[in-house]
Each structure stands twice: as structure tokens, then as C-alpha cells.
Amino acid sequence: WEYSKHPVVMFNQGSGSQGSGVKILTSAQMSLAEHLDGATRIKLKANKVELDFEWDFMTKEEYLNVLKTVFGLPEISQEVRESSYVITRYNMMKMISIEFRIRYGIPVLIMGATGCGKTALVNFLCKVMNADLFALPL
């Protein structure tokens, strides 16, 4: 996941501690720079699009605020805030991708090695979204 190219997530962060304007989240910030020429970068920055935001140095509270904004949630529960789940740029991007696919009726298939965190990610996402999770053993 960390070393392959994935879609870019762009969203309006709004006002608050993170500032305002559009943020760009991608699994590899360096690959974004490869696809933009200097003039495009200047135009995006002039329109308050942050290209060089440091996603890896955010606190859990900051990650949760991003999820709240992107998902359009009124609040994040205290249970979620106090959970031991560790949010990273990579699993935040996965949660956003899953939620967008579900929102627009696109099937979701999550694959990975045993113990890599698939179930933990989905459990945490359901808690963030205040949604019930139903597991079907196959």
C-alpha cells in the first residue's frame, strides 16, 4: 500500500486549527509532485490548495477532525477518541476510500494477509461512523 500509487483524496478542510482551503491526501506525497508542473503548483497554491501538508505528523485528534470533516459527521464519540486504535495517513486514506465507495454504491473488497489490520480498520471505521458492523463468517 505504502509503495504503490493510489487515488488522491482532495477535500475542503474548512476553518479551524488545520487552517482553511483544500487539502490533498495521497499515500505518497512525492508522487503528487511528479505529476504537477511548476505553473500548476503555483496556481493551486494561489487557490489555497495545500500540496505539502505533513500528514504523518498529526495527532490522533487532528486525524479524527479530518475524518469528521470529510465524512460530514456532527461529532466524534468519546469512545472513538479514547480507543487504542492508531490512526496513520495510510489507514485514514483507506477509511476515506471505503466510506466514499459505500456512499456511492461501489462494492468494497478488503484483502490482505492474516493479522494486517483489516478487521481492526473496519471496526474503527464503524465506530467513527456510529454504524453497526455485522460479520458474516464464511
Side-chain angles (χ1 to χ4, degrees), residues 52-115:
D52 303 314
F53 189 80
E54 292 291 340
W55 293 101
D56 294 325
F57 300 105
M58 292 173 57
T59 65
K60 182 174 185 175
E61 192 65 29
E62 290 170 327
Y63 280 122
L64 289 173
N65 284 333
V66 169
L67 291 175
K68 177 182 163 194
T69 300
V70 173
F71 296 164
L73 300 173
E75 198 56 51
I76 299 287
S77 73
Q78 196 61 29
E79 175 190 7
V80 170
R81 292 182 189 289
E82 294 174 355
S83 76
S84 61
Y85 189 79
V86 177
I87 306 174
T88 66
R89 169 173 44 135
Y90 303 112
N91 58 24
M92 184 173 69
M93 189 167 181
K94 291 172 190 175
M95 285 186 270
I96 292 170
S97 297
I98 291 168
E99 198 278 336
F100 281 178
R101 283 175 171 85
I102 291 171
R103 183 184 300 182
Y104 296 107
I106 301 170
V108 177
L109 176 64
I110 302 171
M111 297 172 47
T114 302

